[in-house]
Amino acid sequence: MEVPTQSTDLQAQCSLWKSEVEQVRGSLRQMRGRLEEMAAGRHTNHERMVEIEHFQNQFIRQLEVADEMFHDLKQSAKTFANGRPAIVHLDRPVDDYDTLHDRMQVFHKLHDELKGEFNRFESYR
């Protein structure tokens, strides 16, 4: 993996990642809207409602993770600009490019898996 070395490159990478997080947030909102339509349907049995609640919980949690990620990326951009962290999270370092890169990969992987699972569920209407 090629690590940007200039603070402007690191800031640009953080901006790109923030944009990606915003896209995931939009995707989650769209899926949540479709889920609400399913829940309002007249032919929703108990088993289907259990699945709907599962996805509702997954969307809530993934939006929380997106909020944390977005916040940490903002802090990282400040860190890379100033040379020191504005806020340090022991469980989620914001001043380490490799850690942020890994977190973004996991973030995308989890979103892609949830999206695929939801699309399969949705297709069984």
Side-chain angles (χ1 to χ4, degrees):
M1 165 180 49
E2 187 173 321
V3 178
T5 55
Q6 299 293 321
S7 67
T8 54
D9 293 341
L10 293 168
Q11 288 174 292
Q13 183 63 58
C14 284
S15 293
L16 176 65
W17 284 338
K18 287 188 328 189
S19 173
E20 292 172 8
V21 170
E22 280 300 318
Q23 290 173 353
V24 167
R25 283 175 168 166
S27 171
L28 289 167
R29 287 185 201 108
Q30 287 177 341
M31 288 187 289
R32 188 173 55 191
R34 294 193 320 259
L35 186 70
E36 289 170 359
E37 290 173 9
M38 282 186 249
R42 290 187 282 166
H43 303 292
T44 306
N45 61 28
H46 175 71
E47 183 179 312
R48 189 119 172 117
M49 285 304 292
V50 169
E51 289 291 321
I52 287 171
E53 185 175 350
H54 160 75
F55 282 108
Q56 181 182 29
N57 291 336
Q58 291 297 309
F59 295 156
I60 289 168
R61 180 61 190 130
Q62 198 154 61
L63 281 166
E64 289 172 348
V65 171
D67 289 345
E68 288 174 2
M69 196 74 219
F70 193 85
H71 175 268
D72 290 352
L73 289 167
K74 282 179 27 180
Q75 293 304 315
S76 295
K78 289 179 187 176
T79 297
F80 298 140
N82 299 333
R84 57 181 163 64
I87 297 175
V88 176
H89 300 285
L90 297 178
D91 63 330
R92 333 184 294 267
V94 298
D95 59 348
D96 178 35
Y97 176 85
D98 291 331
T99 300
L100 286 170
H101 182 267
D102 292 345
R103 286 180 60 200
M104 281 301 295
Q105 285 185 320
V106 170
F107 178 74
H108 281 297
K109 178 181 179 278
L110 292 174
H111 176 259
D112 291 344
E113 288 173 359
L114 178 60
K115 188 175 180 179
E117 183 183 351
F118 179 70
N119 287 337
R120 284 186 298 279
F121 171 72
E122 189 177 32
S123 68
Y124 292 114
R125 276 190 187 196

PDB file of all heavy atoms in Angstrom, residues 23-50:
ATOM      1  N   GLN A  23     -21.568   8.864   1.032  1.00  0.00           N
ATOM      2  CA  GLN A  23     -22.270   8.012   0.071  1.00  0.00           C
ATOM      3  C   GLN A  23     -22.896   6.806   0.772  1.00  0.00           C
ATOM      4  O   GLN A  23     -24.022   6.416   0.468  1.00  0.00           O
ATOM      5  CB  GLN A  23     -21.321   7.548  -1.037  1.00  0.00           C
ATOM      6  CG  GLN A  23     -20.912   8.650  -1.975  1.00  0.00           C
ATOM      7  CD  GLN A  23     -19.843   8.198  -2.969  1.00  0.00           C
ATOM      8  OE1 GLN A  23     -19.311   7.098  -2.889  1.00  0.00           O
ATOM      9  NE2 GLN A  23     -19.529   9.081  -3.906  1.00  0.00           N
ATOM     10  N   VAL A  24     -22.176   6.229   1.712  1.00  0.00           N
ATOM     11  CA  VAL A  24     -22.712   5.096   2.475  1.00  0.00           C
ATOM     12  C   VAL A  24     -23.910   5.557   3.303  1.00  0.00           C
ATOM     13  O   VAL A  24     -24.927   4.858   3.357  1.00  0.00           O
ATOM     14  CB  VAL A  24     -21.619   4.458   3.365  1.00  0.00           C
ATOM     15  CG1 VAL A  24     -22.226   3.504   4.380  1.00  0.00           C
ATOM     16  CG2 VAL A  24     -20.581   3.749   2.508  1.00  0.00           C
ATOM     17  N   ARG A  25     -23.809   6.711   3.920  1.00  0.00           N
ATOM     18  CA  ARG A  25     -24.948   7.237   4.686  1.00  0.00           C
ATOM     19  C   ARG A  25     -26.188   7.364   3.797  1.00  0.00           C
ATOM     20  O   ARG A  25     -27.287   6.998   4.191  1.00  0.00           O
ATOM     21  CB  ARG A  25     -24.618   8.609   5.275  1.00  0.00           C
ATOM     22  CG  ARG A  25     -23.728   8.601   6.482  1.00  0.00           C
ATOM     23  CD  ARG A  25     -23.394  10.021   6.862  1.00  0.00           C
ATOM     24  NE  ARG A  25     -22.768  10.145   8.154  1.00  0.00           N
ATOM     25  CZ  ARG A  25     -22.159  11.251   8.577  1.00  0.00           C
ATOM     26  NH1 ARG A  25     -22.100  12.313   7.792  1.00  0.00           N
ATOM     27  NH2 ARG A  25     -21.612  11.294   9.762  1.00  0.00           N
ATOM     28  N   GLY A  26     -26.006   7.899   2.586  1.00  0.00           N
ATOM     29  CA  GLY A  26     -27.121   8.041   1.655  1.00  0.00           C
ATOM     30  C   GLY A  26     -27.701   6.693   1.271  1.00  0.00           C
ATOM     31  O   GLY A  26     -28.922   6.523   1.201  1.00  0.00           O
ATOM     32  N   SER A  27     -26.838   5.724   1.028  1.00  0.00           N
ATOM     33  CA  SER A  27     -27.284   4.377   0.688  1.00  0.00           C
ATOM     34  C   SER A  27     -28.095   3.774   1.827  1.00  0.00           C
ATOM     35  O   SER A  27     -29.147   3.156   1.603  1.00  0.00           O
ATOM     36  CB  SER A  27     -26.061   3.502   0.385  1.00  0.00           C
ATOM     37  OG  SER A  27     -26.408   2.157   0.252  1.00  0.00           O
ATOM     38  N   LEU A  28     -27.630   3.958   3.053  1.00  0.00           N
ATOM     39  CA  LEU A  28     -28.347   3.430   4.215  1.00  0.00           C
ATOM     40  C   LEU A  28     -29.711   4.102   4.370  1.00  0.00           C
ATOM     41  O   LEU A  28     -30.698   3.432   4.696  1.00  0.00           O
ATOM     42  CB  LEU A  28     -27.512   3.620   5.485  1.00  0.00           C
ATOM     43  CG  LEU A  28     -26.278   2.733   5.587  1.00  0.00           C
ATOM     44  CD1 LEU A  28     -25.359   3.217   6.703  1.00  0.00           C
ATOM     45  CD2 LEU A  28     -26.669   1.279   5.799  1.00  0.00           C
ATOM     46  N   ARG A  29     -29.776   5.389   4.121  1.00  0.00           N
ATOM     47  CA  ARG A  29     -31.066   6.090   4.209  1.00  0.00           C
ATOM     48  C   ARG A  29     -32.046   5.571   3.161  1.00  0.00           C
ATOM     49  O   ARG A  29     -33.239   5.405   3.435  1.00  0.00           O
ATOM     50  CB  ARG A  29     -30.862   7.593   4.061  1.00  0.00           C
ATOM     51  CG  ARG A  29     -30.239   8.230   5.279  1.00  0.00           C
ATOM     52  CD  ARG A  29     -30.157   9.760   5.138  1.00  0.00           C
ATOM     53  NE  ARG A  29     -29.162  10.259   6.047  1.00  0.00           N
ATOM     54  CZ  ARG A  29     -27.966  10.741   5.698  1.00  0.00           C
ATOM     55  NH1 ARG A  29     -27.634  10.825   4.426  1.00  0.00           N
ATOM     56  NH2 ARG A  29     -27.122  11.163   6.602  1.00  0.00           N
ATOM     57  N   GLN A  30     -31.545   5.309   1.957  1.00  0.00           N
ATOM     58  CA  GLN A  30     -32.408   4.761   0.901  1.00  0.00           C
ATOM     59  C   GLN A  30     -32.923   3.377   1.280  1.00  0.00           C
ATOM     60  O   GLN A  30     -34.116   3.086   1.130  1.00  0.00           O
ATOM     61  CB  GLN A  30     -31.646   4.674  -0.423  1.00  0.00           C
ATOM     62  CG  GLN A  30     -31.414   6.000  -1.089  1.00  0.00           C
ATOM     63  CD  GLN A  30     -30.583   5.837  -2.360  1.00  0.00           C
ATOM     64  OE1 GLN A  30     -29.909   4.834  -2.568  1.00  0.00           O
ATOM     65  NE2 GLN A  30     -30.647   6.854  -3.214  1.00  0.00           N
ATOM     66  N   MET A  31     -32.034   2.532   1.774  1.00  0.00           N
ATOM     67  CA  MET A  31     -32.449   1.190   2.174  1.00  0.00           C
ATOM     68  C   MET A  31     -33.448   1.260   3.328  1.00  0.00           C
ATOM     69  O   MET A  31     -34.426   0.514   3.355  1.00  0.00           O
ATOM     70  CB  MET A  31     -31.239   0.335   2.552  1.00  0.00           C
ATOM     71  CG  MET A  31     -30.401  -0.086   1.360  1.00  0.00           C
ATOM     72  SD  MET A  31     -29.079  -1.263   1.753  1.00  0.00           S
ATOM     73  CE  MET A  31     -27.935  -0.233   2.672  1.00  0.00           C
ATOM     74  N   ARG A  32     -33.213   2.179   4.256  1.00  0.00           N
ATOM     75  CA  ARG A  32     -34.138   2.331   5.384  1.00  0.00           C
ATOM     76  C   ARG A  32     -35.510   2.770   4.898  1.00  0.00           C
ATOM     77  O   ARG A  32     -36.531   2.299   5.391  1.00  0.00           O
ATOM     78  CB  ARG A  32     -33.568   3.327   6.399  1.00  0.00           C
ATOM     79  CG  ARG A  32     -34.380   3.383   7.679  1.00  0.00           C
ATOM     80  CD  ARG A  32     -33.736   4.217   8.743  1.00  0.00           C
ATOM     81  NE  ARG A  32     -33.448   5.545   8.257  1.00  0.00           N
ATOM     82  CZ  ARG A  32     -32.696   6.423   8.897  1.00  0.00           C
ATOM     83  NH1 ARG A  32     -32.140   6.115  10.032  1.00  0.00           N
ATOM     84  NH2 ARG A  32     -32.489   7.616   8.388  1.00  0.00           N
ATOM     85  N   GLY A  33     -35.558   3.637   3.908  1.00  0.00           N
ATOM     86  CA  GLY A  33     -36.835   4.063   3.339  1.00  0.00           C
ATOM     87  C   GLY A  33     -37.578   2.905   2.694  1.00  0.00           C
ATOM     88  O   GLY A  33     -38.796   2.752   2.876  1.00  0.00           O
ATOM     89  N   ARG A  34     -36.857   2.077   1.958  1.00  0.00           N
ATOM     90  CA  ARG A  34     -37.489   0.906   1.332  1.00  0.00           C
ATOM     91  C   ARG A  34     -37.959  -0.077   2.397  1.00  0.00           C
ATOM     92  O   ARG A  34     -39.017  -0.703   2.265  1.00  0.00           O
ATOM     93  CB  ARG A  34     -36.523   0.233   0.353  1.00  0.00           C
ATOM     94  CG  ARG A  34     -36.203   1.131  -0.838  1.00  0.00           C
ATOM     95  CD  ARG A  34     -35.512   0.452  -1.996  1.00  0.00           C
ATOM     96  NE  ARG A  34     -34.496  -0.525  -1.711  1.00  0.00           N
ATOM     97  CZ  ARG A  34     -33.176  -0.319  -1.769  1.00  0.00           C
ATOM     98  NH1 ARG A  34     -32.711   0.881  -2.072  1.00  0.00           N
ATOM     99  NH2 ARG A  34     -32.329  -1.300  -1.542  1.00  0.00           N
ATOM    100  N   LEU A  35     -37.196  -0.202   3.478  1.00  0.00           N
ATOM    101  CA  LEU A  35     -37.577  -1.082   4.576  1.00  0.00           C
ATOM    102  C   LEU A  35     -38.869  -0.594   5.234  1.00  0.00           C
ATOM    103  O   LEU A  35     -39.751  -1.393   5.553  1.00  0.00           O
ATOM    104  CB  LEU A  35     -36.446  -1.153   5.604  1.00  0.00           C
ATOM    105  CG  LEU A  35     -36.619  -2.139   6.746  1.00  0.00           C
ATOM    106  CD1 LEU A  35     -36.511  -3.571   6.218  1.00  0.00           C
ATOM    107  CD2 LEU A  35     -35.559  -1.903   7.815  1.00  0.00           C
ATOM    108  N   GLU A  36     -38.993   0.714   5.412  1.00  0.00           N
ATOM    109  CA  GLU A  36     -40.211   1.278   6.002  1.00  0.00           C
ATOM    110  C   GLU A  36     -41.425   1.000   5.125  1.00  0.00           C
ATOM    111  O   GLU A  36     -42.514   0.722   5.640  1.00  0.00           O
ATOM    112  CB  GLU A  36     -40.039   2.786   6.237  1.00  0.00           C
ATOM    113  CG  GLU A  36     -39.074   3.094   7.365  1.00  0.00           C
ATOM    114  CD  GLU A  36     -38.694   4.570   7.458  1.00  0.00           C
ATOM    115  OE1 GLU A  36     -39.176   5.382   6.621  1.00  0.00           O
ATOM    116  OE2 GLU A  36     -37.912   4.904   8.352  1.00  0.00           O
ATOM    117  N   GLU A  37     -41.235   1.047   3.817  1.00  0.00           N
ATOM    118  CA  GLU A  37     -42.331   0.717   2.905  1.00  0.00           C
ATOM    119  C   GLU A  37     -42.753  -0.742   3.075  1.00  0.00           C
ATOM    120  O   GLU A  37     -43.941  -1.051   3.072  1.00  0.00           O
ATOM    121  CB  GLU A  37     -41.917   0.959   1.446  1.00  0.00           C
ATOM    122  CG  GLU A  37     -41.763   2.412   1.082  1.00  0.00           C
ATOM    123  CD  GLU A  37     -41.186   2.604  -0.316  1.00  0.00           C
ATOM    124  OE1 GLU A  37     -41.064   1.604  -1.075  1.00  0.00           O
ATOM    125  OE2 GLU A  37     -40.828   3.743  -0.644  1.00  0.00           O
ATOM    126  N   MET A  38     -41.775  -1.622   3.219  1.00  0.00           N
ATOM    127  CA  MET A  38     -42.086  -3.040   3.425  1.00  0.00           C
ATOM    128  C   MET A  38     -42.842  -3.250   4.735  1.00  0.00           C
ATOM    129  O   MET A  38     -43.792  -4.029   4.792  1.00  0.00           O
ATOM    130  CB  MET A  38     -40.807  -3.878   3.458  1.00  0.00           C
ATOM    131  CG  MET A  38     -40.212  -4.157   2.119  1.00  0.00           C
ATOM    132  SD  MET A  38     -38.828  -5.306   2.325  1.00  0.00           S
ATOM    133  CE  MET A  38     -37.486  -4.209   1.926  1.00  0.00           C
ATOM    134  N   ALA A  39     -42.400  -2.560   5.780  1.00  0.00           N
ATOM    135  CA  ALA A  39     -43.031  -2.718   7.094  1.00  0.00           C
ATOM    136  C   ALA A  39     -44.472  -2.244   7.077  1.00  0.00           C
ATOM    137  O   ALA A  39     -45.314  -2.777   7.810  1.00  0.00           O
ATOM    138  CB  ALA A  39     -42.235  -1.958   8.153  1.00  0.00           C
ATOM    139  N   ALA A  40     -44.767  -1.269   6.242  1.00  0.00           N
ATOM    140  CA  ALA A  40     -46.127  -0.722   6.173  1.00  0.00           C
ATOM    141  C   ALA A  40     -47.049  -1.577   5.310  1.00  0.00           C
ATOM    142  O   ALA A  40     -48.257  -1.366   5.294  1.00  0.00           O
ATOM    143  CB  ALA A  40     -46.079   0.706   5.624  1.00  0.00           C
ATOM    144  N   GLY A  41     -46.489  -2.559   4.620  1.00  0.00           N
ATOM    145  CA  GLY A  41     -47.278  -3.410   3.730  1.00  0.00           C
ATOM    146  C   GLY A  41     -48.312  -4.225   4.488  1.00  0.00           C
ATOM    147  O   GLY A  41     -48.128  -4.592   5.645  1.00  0.00           O
ATOM    148  N   ARG A  42     -49.416  -4.501   3.824  1.00  0.00           N
ATOM    149  CA  ARG A  42     -50.515  -5.239   4.451  1.00  0.00           C
ATOM    150  C   ARG A  42     -50.188  -6.718   4.630  1.00  0.00           C
ATOM    151  O   ARG A  42     -50.748  -7.363   5.492  1.00  0.00           O
ATOM    152  CB  ARG A  42     -51.791  -5.108   3.616  1.00  0.00           C
ATOM    153  CG  ARG A  42     -52.378  -3.717   3.674  1.00  0.00           C
ATOM    154  CD  ARG A  42     -53.692  -3.694   2.979  1.00  0.00           C
ATOM    155  NE  ARG A  42     -53.432  -3.666   1.528  1.00  0.00           N
ATOM    156  CZ  ARG A  42     -54.336  -3.895   0.611  1.00  0.00           C
ATOM    157  NH1 ARG A  42     -55.564  -4.188   0.941  1.00  0.00           N
ATOM    158  NH2 ARG A  42     -54.023  -3.822  -0.667  1.00  0.00           N
ATOM    159  N   HIS A  43     -49.332  -7.253   3.825  1.00  0.00           N
ATOM    160  CA  HIS A  43     -49.072  -8.688   3.847  1.00  0.00           C
ATOM    161  C   HIS A  43     -47.755  -9.018   4.552  1.00  0.00           C
ATOM    162  O   HIS A  43     -47.008  -9.884   4.100  1.00  0.00           O
ATOM    163  CB  HIS A  43     -49.056  -9.236   2.419  1.00  0.00           C
ATOM    164  CG  HIS A  43     -50.323  -8.950   1.686  1.00  0.00           C
ATOM    165  ND1 HIS A  43     -51.517  -9.537   2.020  1.00  0.00           N
ATOM    166  CD2 HIS A  43     -50.601  -8.110   0.661  1.00  0.00           C
ATOM    167  CE1 HIS A  43     -52.471  -9.093   1.215  1.00  0.00           C
ATOM    168  NE2 HIS A  43     -51.927  -8.216   0.385  1.00  0.00           N
ATOM    169  N   THR A  44     -47.502  -8.352   5.651  1.00  0.00           N
ATOM    170  CA  THR A  44     -46.264  -8.564   6.390  1.00  0.00           C
ATOM    171  C   THR A  44     -46.548  -9.482   7.572  1.00  0.00           C
ATOM    172  O   THR A  44     -47.214  -9.090   8.522  1.00  0.00           O
ATOM    173  CB  THR A  44     -45.674  -7.217   6.867  1.00  0.00           C
ATOM    174  OG1 THR A  44     -45.531  -6.356   5.747  1.00  0.00           O
ATOM    175  CG2 THR A  44     -44.340  -7.417   7.525  1.00  0.00           C
ATOM    176  N   ASN A  45     -46.044 -10.705   7.496  1.00  0.00           N
ATOM    177  CA  ASN A  45     -46.268 -11.664   8.577  1.00  0.00           C
ATOM    178  C   ASN A  45     -45.229 -11.488   9.684  1.00  0.00           C
ATOM    179  O   ASN A  45     -44.301 -10.679   9.567  1.00  0.00           O
ATOM    180  CB  ASN A  45     -46.267 -13.100   8.031  1.00  0.00           C
ATOM    181  CG  ASN A  45     -44.939 -13.480   7.393  1.00  0.00           C
ATOM    182  OD1 ASN A  45     -43.890 -12.963   7.759  1.00  0.00           O
ATOM    183  ND2 ASN A  45     -44.984 -14.386   6.441  1.00  0.00           N
ATOM    184  N   HIS A  46     -45.374 -12.268  10.734  1.00  0.00           N
ATOM    185  CA  HIS A  46     -44.495 -12.146  11.903  1.00  0.00           C
ATOM    186  C   HIS A  46     -43.028 -12.401  11.534  1.00  0.00           C
ATOM    187  O   HIS A  46     -42.136 -11.658  11.962  1.00  0.00           O
ATOM    188  CB  HIS A  46     -44.937 -13.109  13.008  1.00  0.00           C
ATOM    189  CG  HIS A  46     -44.012 -13.126  14.174  1.00  0.00           C
ATOM    190  ND1 HIS A  46     -43.912 -12.070  15.047  1.00  0.00           N
ATOM    191  CD2 HIS A  46     -43.108 -14.049  14.594  1.00  0.00           C
ATOM    192  CE1 HIS A  46     -43.003 -12.342  15.971  1.00  0.00           C
ATOM    193  NE2 HIS A  46     -42.497 -13.543  15.714  1.00  0.00           N
ATOM    194  N   GLU A  47     -42.793 -13.451  10.758  1.00  0.00           N
ATOM    195  CA  GLU A  47     -41.418 -13.789  10.376  1.00  0.00           C
ATOM    196  C   GLU A  47     -40.769 -12.643   9.594  1.00  0.00           C
ATOM    197  O   GLU A  47     -39.616 -12.291   9.807  1.00  0.00           O
ATOM    198  CB  GLU A  47     -41.416 -15.061   9.525  1.00  0.00           C
ATOM    199  CG  GLU A  47     -40.037 -15.526   9.147  1.00  0.00           C
ATOM    200  CD  GLU A  47     -40.084 -16.802   8.332  1.00  0.00           C
ATOM    201  OE1 GLU A  47     -40.778 -17.746   8.731  1.00  0.00           O
ATOM    202  OE2 GLU A  47     -39.407 -16.832   7.286  1.00  0.00           O
ATOM    203  N   ARG A  48     -41.529 -12.059   8.715  1.00  0.00           N
ATOM    204  CA  ARG A  48     -41.026 -10.929   7.906  1.00  0.00           C
ATOM    205  C   ARG A  48     -40.752  -9.717   8.810  1.00  0.00           C
ATOM    206  O   ARG A  48     -39.765  -9.013   8.606  1.00  0.00           O
ATOM    207  CB  ARG A  48     -42.054 -10.574   6.829  1.00  0.00           C
ATOM    208  CG  ARG A  48     -41.536  -9.578   5.827  1.00  0.00           C
ATOM    209  CD  ARG A  48     -41.535 -10.198   4.443  1.00  0.00           C
ATOM    210  NE  ARG A  48     -41.223  -9.209   3.439  1.00  0.00           N
ATOM    211  CZ  ARG A  48     -40.139  -9.290   2.686  1.00  0.00           C
ATOM    212  NH1 ARG A  48     -39.332 -10.291   2.809  1.00  0.00           N
ATOM    213  NH2 ARG A  48     -39.899  -8.369   1.784  1.00  0.00           N
ATOM    214  N   MET A  49     -41.605  -9.499   9.788  1.00  0.00           N
ATOM    215  CA  MET A  49     -41.389  -8.367  10.704  1.00  0.00           C
ATOM    216  C   MET A  49     -40.110  -8.554  11.526  1.00  0.00           C
ATOM    217  O   MET A  49     -39.406  -7.591  11.811  1.00  0.00           O
ATOM    218  CB  MET A  49     -42.599  -8.186  11.630  1.00  0.00           C
ATOM    219  CG  MET A  49     -43.807  -7.573  10.944  1.00  0.00           C
ATOM    220  SD  MET A  49     -43.473  -5.965  10.152  1.00  0.00           S
ATOM    221  CE  MET A  49     -43.177  -4.936  11.566  1.00  0.00           C
ATOM    222  N   VAL A  50     -39.804  -9.805  11.884  1.00  0.00           N
ATOM    223  CA  VAL A  50     -38.555 -10.077  12.610  1.00  0.00           C
ATOM    224  C   VAL A  50     -37.356  -9.698  11.737  1.00  0.00           C
ATOM    225  O   VAL A  50     -36.407  -9.064  12.210  1.00  0.00           O
ATOM    226  CB  VAL A  50     -38.487 -11.566  13.040  1.00  0.00           C
ATOM    227  CG1 VAL A  50     -37.108 -11.938  13.552  1.00  0.00           C
ATOM    228  CG2 VAL A  50     -39.539 -11.856  14.102  1.00  0.00           C
TER     229      VAL A  50
END
